[in-house]
Amino acid sequence: METQVRTPQSVFMQPQRLIVPLFQRPYVWNEENQWEPLWQDISRVATRLLANPERPPFPHFLGAVVLQQVQNPVGSMQERVIIDGQQRLTTLQLMLDALHAEFESMGARQPASRVETLVCNQEAFWDRPEDRYKVWPTNRDRAAFNAVMSAEAPVDYSTLVEPKARMVLAHKYFGEQARGWIDLNGTDEALDRATALERAVRELLQVVVIDLAPDENAQEIFETLNARGAQLTAADLIKNFIFQRLMEAGEDVEAIYEQQWKEFETGFWETEIASGRVRYARSAIFLNQWLIARTGEEIVAREVFSRFKRYAEFDSELPMPRLVDRVHRTATVYRSFLDGAETKTGPLDRVELFAYRTSVLESEVIKPFILWLLDPDEPEVPRPQLIKALEAAESWMVRRMLVRATTKAYNQVIAELITQMRKGDRAIVGDIVENYFRAQPGASRYWPDDDELRRELRSLLAYRRLRRGRLRMVLEAIEDHCRGWVGEEVALGGERVPRAQLTIEHVMPRQWRMHWPFAGTAGELERDGLIHTVGNLTLLTHRLNSHVSNGPWLGENGKQGAIKKSDVLLLNRDLLQIAADDWTDDKIAERTARLTEAIIEIWPVPAGHHSVFAEQVARGTRRIELADLINAGLIEAGQMLYARIRNPRGLTATVLSDGSLDVDGAIYQTPSAAAAAIAGKHENGWWYFLVEKGPPRKALRRVWREYVEQLTVDVDEDEEGLDDEDDA
């Protein structure tokens, strides 16, 4: 067995075939969990290289692969079987080929030529057509792989065999991301950016390659490598580093531990919270955010320890006791505003409200911005400028959420913002922040203007397109606004709406046909969409929601009477005023317009701000497939799915490794198709199938929702049944 750390250049340069065995699962990586994080890592390395080409950044580690040599005839091309790492190696090939196509299309011949040698074996080494490729996938994926890898640049993906296959989508994703990154600053810089990107993928990515001889026990080594042991967190590594240095300096380590570090080992700091798609101890996330606030650099979780070590030894210019004290003091501030943000009722100051709303947006990335503003070791930011900075950042984030703009560049945006704030005067930081967001270019960064917000919210199916918590937060903000809470001005009533406690109710219910006869200019299908717009949504207590749900507007059990009698929200007082004795399609549209104007007032943009990037925003539908659930480890190949409703033959569905389903020997590509085969009629498969036969009867749609909760983007919930809350 030979183990080496190698770059894509050294892994793929020589003529060879890396073969995926037929028994391995097909290609299941996807954008959310693998392609996007990989691209973010690559673009970050390329950006650092571009900024300082004479001092290349630290290489980025991609993980390990296990290969086993194959006995082949002398003189033939070398072959290895991929024992572990086929998804990673296949993705690298798809990415490299996509970059080659983009370089060719823009006329960057040298970068294109250098990348091409990592994708294709020279024709002189071919005995069969497939010898062209460095990696040869399992038989289920070969048609799609061959089609996309052999396509001429520029690639027309719609004409390929299986255009929706994951390999084709991966190739397309990396091509689009590369094109956007290369063209970010216009044609004058495009060639330099292409060259930096090409160098980053060839030389600055690293893979541990474990190369086995033909007679070694591959399975035993594979099992050993994948054994799970306790992992040290970034906080553990930093703690060890700090106290080693303190001991070497002869400091009183016991006193420093008790006074300044022990707190990090309490429940608050050891609680695991989500940062993107991964959960980390809060202490590790805080240290990451503290470093970003201190350096203005984009630092990902896996780099925290090495960057802290460099900061402590070369950048901080502080003795270790002073540095530990600085971390401790900032941690105290951090916990204070988080504790305040988690209270469900009562007053909040503007920092705590900002922390609450951004936590609902699931955006840990904004925390370094708060830490910089509240840094206890720097001059205090004047209160009006602090409020201005928070309100500008919050408006930028909320407006982008409402128009469903991408969050993919947020780490980079916030790091750049902190760099700008560090260069400027703390006394005018609110102006700096507002001007920064106002000037952001491109679809991944811009600040949506009022006209776009009006246009999008007019037809946005808010209940289906936005996460429930985010939508509730917006309705809470409207209620507070109705009560008179503006900026730091205390409302006359003196009480904010309870946070994260009320439920979202459709005024005209989803099952409207029972009590709400159709009368209007819109068709029934249009009404089915209209009921999910913001104008048809409100907040109610759980008990009141249960009492009026699916009921009529008027009558003994009507919503109008129940709201008048039992509800105290100004949001609903306004609703009753608009509705009077009838709640119609036109009144939903009218209320949507009124709530939109309230949103514009709550989260304003600078006077005269106009965005030209709205048409570039990608708002495509994202459908979740069973293969995504397999990829995330929520469903396993071979797992049985059970019919919710009894079927005469007692049929079940077996999940196959590519995400299709086997029902009595027939293969179906979607849960709904498999459900229809069992039930003999159309059924929504996500609702129809259970993953557990007995109590608690967990539905497949519940697993779907668990997967969605792991993502950092909103997904469309157009399939009937996916937005219901019960499982049985």
Side-chain angles (χ1 to χ4, degrees):
M1 179 173 68
E2 181 181 285
T3 302
Q4 290 184 327
V5 177
R6 304 175 70 182
T7 64
Q9 170 85 8
S10 57
V11 170
F12 296 124
M13 188 66 180
Q14 62 182 349
Q16 63 180 321
R17 296 184 76 230
L18 304 178
I19 302 169
V20 181
L22 296 182
F23 58 80
Q24 288 202 16
R25 66 176 178 169
Y27 187 72
V28 297
W29 275 19
N30 65 14
E31 178 179 341
E32 290 83 14
N33 291 321
Q34 286 90 20
W35 307 338
E36 182 185 334
L38 174 59
W39 175 255
Q40 289 176 342
D41 291 336
I42 290 169
S43 60
R44 184 170 53 256
V45 171
T47 299
R48 291 174 180 173
L49 178 62
L50 197 64
N52 194 349
E54 302 304 319
R55 184 184 174 189
F58 287 103
H60 176 71
F61 178 60
L62 293 178
V65 300
V66 181
L67 309 175
Q68 186 158 39
Q69 299 174 23
V70 174
Q71 296 277 18
N72 45 347
V74 176
S76 62
M77 188 161 56
Q78 189 178 70
E79 291 187 353
R80 285 176 170 79
V81 173
I82 303 174
I83 303 300
D84 190 25
Q86 62 113 337
Q87 305 276 335
R88 182 175 291 107
L89 291 173
T90 303
T91 302
L92 283 174
Q93 281 293 294
L94 293 165
M95 183 264 293
L96 288 166
D97 191 67
L99 294 186
H100 173 257
E102 293 302 322
F103 295 155
E104 285 279 358
S105 298
M106 65 176 290
R109 295 184 179 178
Q110 286 188 318
S113 296
R114 289 191 288 266
V115 170
E116 186 177 23
T117 60
L118 308 185
V119 176
C120 297
N121 292 312
Q122 297 178 20
E123 191 171 355
F125 293 92
W126 300 0
D127 291 327
R128 299 153 295 185
E130 59 264 31
D131 288 345
R132 169 181 179 174
Y133 302 110
K134 304 279 186 175
V135 172
W136 190 233
T138 189
N139 54 351
R140 296 191 195 184
D141 292 322
R142 286 174 185 168
F145 182 81
N146 185 62
V148 75
M149 294 289 286
S150 61
E152 295 292 329
V155 180
D156 183 354
Y157 295 94
S158 64
T159 65
L160 300 181
V161 175
E162 303 181 40
K164 297 298 183 183
R166 287 178 179 253
M167 289 194 169
V168 175
L169 295 177
H171 196 284
K172 182 180 180 181
Y173 172 81
F174 288 113
E176 290 174 346
Q177 297 303 311
R179 190 181 318 128
W181 190 87
I182 291 168
D183 294 340
L184 184 63
N185 295 333
T187 56
D188 291 345
E189 296 184 23
L191 182 57
D192 288 341
R193 293 179 71 85
T195 302
L197 183 58
E198 169 262 323
R199 185 180 170 194
V201 297
R202 277 194 311 111
E203 301 178 3
L204 295 173
L205 303 180
Q206 290 185 340
V207 181
V208 171
V209 179
I210 301 172
D211 213 352
L212 308 181
D215 58 347
E216 290 188 270
N217 189 329
Q219 182 61 31
E220 181 178 329
I221 293 170
F222 174 79
E223 291 175 358
T224 301
L225 287 171
N226 286 278
R228 297 290 183 255
Q231 299 292 314
L232 290 175
T233 68
D236 294 327
L237 295 171
I238 289 172
K239 172 188 171 183
N240 292 342
F241 166 72
I242 286 173
F243 283 94
Q244 269 203 328
R245 291 292 188 270
L246 290 170
M247 289 176 64
E248 291 168 1
E251 300 289 343
D252 186 347
V253 294
E254 293 287 341
I256 293 174
Y257 172 80
E258 287 292 330
Q259 297 167 14
Q260 297 171 333
W261 195 268
K262 186 177 180 180
E263 174 70 15
F264 284 116
E265 296 174 359
T266 60
F268 174 85
W269 292 102
E270 292 189 348
T271 299
E272 289 194 345
I273 57 176
S275 179
R277 300 165 186 83
V278 184
R279 299 186 71 84
Y280 301 97
R282 183 182 271 120
S283 57
I285 291 177
F286 162 73
L287 289 166
N288 189 350
Q289 295 163 346
W290 181 85
L291 273 174
I292 296 170
R294 281 287 170 182
T295 64
E297 297 175 10
E298 185 182 357
I299 303 169
V300 295
R302 69 181 70 88
E303 300 173 344
V304 173
F305 171 64
S306 59
R307 187 62 186 94
F308 183 91
K309 187 176 179 181
R310 282 192 290 127
Y311 179 80
E313 293 182 334
F314 303 110
D315 301 337
S316 73
E317 299 180 350
L318 293 173
M320 188 59 74
R322 287 273 309 281
L323 183 60
V324 176
D325 181 61
R326 182 165 284 188
V327 171
H328 171 72
R329 283 162 51 80
T330 308
T332 302
V333 172
Y334 181 87
R335 178 162 189 174
S336 176
F337 70 70
L338 283 189
D339 284 343
E342 290 176 1
T343 60
K344 302 301 183 186
T345 59
L348 289 178
D349 69 21
R350 194 59 185 88
V351 175
E352 293 167 339
L353 182 63
F354 179 85
Y356 165 68
R357 288 175 174 171
T358 55
S359 70
V360 173
L361 296 176
E362 300 166 45
S363 189
E364 285 294 318
V365 71
I366 199 67
K367 296 293 196 320
F369 169 72
I370 311 177
L371 293 179
W372 190 93
L373 291 173
L374 303 180
D375 192 331
D377 293 298
E378 296 291 340
E380 184 176 356
V381 174
R383 192 71 184 178
Q385 286 289 310
L386 174 65
I387 301 306
K388 189 174 187 177
L390 294 173
E391 290 185 344
E394 187 176 296
S395 171
W396 181 79
M397 294 178 70
V398 172
R399 283 177 174 243
R400 288 184 61 83
M401 179 271 291
L402 289 171
V403 303
R404 294 176 300 132
T406 179
T407 63
K408 294 176 182 177
Y410 280 18
N411 283 294
Q412 186 177 10
V413 169
I414 299 305
E416 290 177 2
L417 171 59
I418 290 170
T419 297
Q420 293 301 314
M421 294 192 300
R422 283 162 53 85
K423 291 178 180 177
D425 185 347
R426 291 179 72 87
I428 57 168
V429 71
D431 299 330
I432 294 170
V433 172
E434 185 179 89
N435 291 333
Y436 173 82
F437 283 123
R438 188 175 188 175
Q440 287 308 293
S444 63
R445 292 167 167 258
Y446 81 104
W447 195 352
D449 61 24
D450 294 348
D451 288 341
E452 183 183 359
L453 215 56
R454 292 186 182 102
R455 185 171 58 252
E456 288 298 316
L457 290 178
R458 186 180 303 126
S459 58
L460 175 66
L461 307 186
Y463 190 80
R464 288 194 165 187
R465 298 292 190 266
L466 305 179
R467 302 274 187 90
R468 300 292 185 270
R470 298 176 182 181
L471 181 55
R472 180 174 55 206
M473 180 271 288
V474 171
L475 294 173
E476 291 169 354
I478 295 173
E479 172 64 21
D480 278 345
H481 186 68
C482 292
R483 296 183 182 192
W485 291 92
V486 178
E488 287 204 294
E489 182 179 340
V490 177
L492 294 179
E495 186 72 25
R496 286 189 180 273
V497 67
R499 293 171 290 280
Q501 290 186 305
L502 300 175
T503 61
I504 301 170
E505 167 71 357
H506 289 73
V507 182
M508 184 182 293
R510 284 174 284 178
Q511 286 75 39
W512 57 266
R513 289 170 176 83
M514 182 181 301
H515 297 295
W516 303 70
F518 185 79
T521 57
E524 291 194 5
L525 290 178
E526 290 182 66
R527 173 178 279 187
D528 285 337
L530 189 66
I531 61 174
H532 294 300
T533 58
V534 69
N536 191 51
L537 304 174
T538 193
L539 296 174
L540 296 176
T541 64
H542 287 277
R543 291 188 64 185
L544 185 54
N545 190 321
S546 300
H547 178 71
V548 303
S549 184
N550 293 326
W553 180 246
L554 298 176
E556 184 178 349
N557 296 315
K559 292 189 174 184
Q560 183 198 58
I563 292 173
K564 281 183 178 179
K565 180 180 178 180
S566 305
D567 188 79
V568 297
L569 298 186
L570 297 184
L571 186 67
N572 291 327
R573 186 184 302 175
D574 185 64
L575 165 66
L576 293 171
Q577 182 181 13
I578 296 172
D581 291 333
D582 197 9
W583 185 243
T584 65
D585 300 40
D586 290 341
K587 290 179 178 178
I588 292 174
E590 177 188 346
R591 185 165 178 265
T592 293
R594 290 176 67 160
L595 295 186
T596 298
E597 294 308 311
I599 289 169
I600 287 171
E601 291 179 17
I602 296 165
W603 292 291
V605 291
H609 174 64
H610 177 65
S611 169
V612 297
F613 303 105
E615 294 181 0
Q616 302 176 25
V617 178
R619 300 185 179 95
T621 299
R622 173 67 173 101
R623 294 283 184 175
I624 306 301
E625 301 172 350
L626 273 180
D628 295 309
L629 274 55
I630 295 171
N631 182 30
L634 298 175
I635 293 286
E636 295 181 356
Q639 184 168 340
M640 305 292 289
L641 301 181
Y642 305 93
R644 175 189 293 269
I645 303 169
R646 290 186 179 180
N647 56 91
R649 292 191 291 165
L651 295 175
T652 59
T654 304
V655 179
L656 303 181
S657 58
D658 63 352
S660 59
L661 291 166
D662 183 325
V663 178
D664 200 25
I667 308 300
Y668 300 92
Q669 296 305 312
T670 66
S672 293
I678 294 175
K681 62 177 182 177
H682 172 72
E683 294 283 3
N684 180 280
W686 297 99
W687 173 87
Y688 183 80
F689 284 114
L690 305 173
V691 296
E692 297 165 352
K693 191 173 184 179
R697 287 169 55 86
K698 184 177 183 180
L700 184 60
R701 71 173 177 210
R702 181 61 62 186
V703 184
W704 182 97
R705 185 160 294 285
E706 289 173 9
Y707 178 78
V708 169
E709 291 302 321
Q710 294 179 5
L711 305 181
T712 57
V713 296
D714 292 306
V715 298
D716 290 339
E717 300 184 16
D718 285 334
E719 289 198 70
E720 183 183 352
L722 285 178
D723 56 355
D724 294 335
E725 295 300 329
D726 63 305
D727 274 337

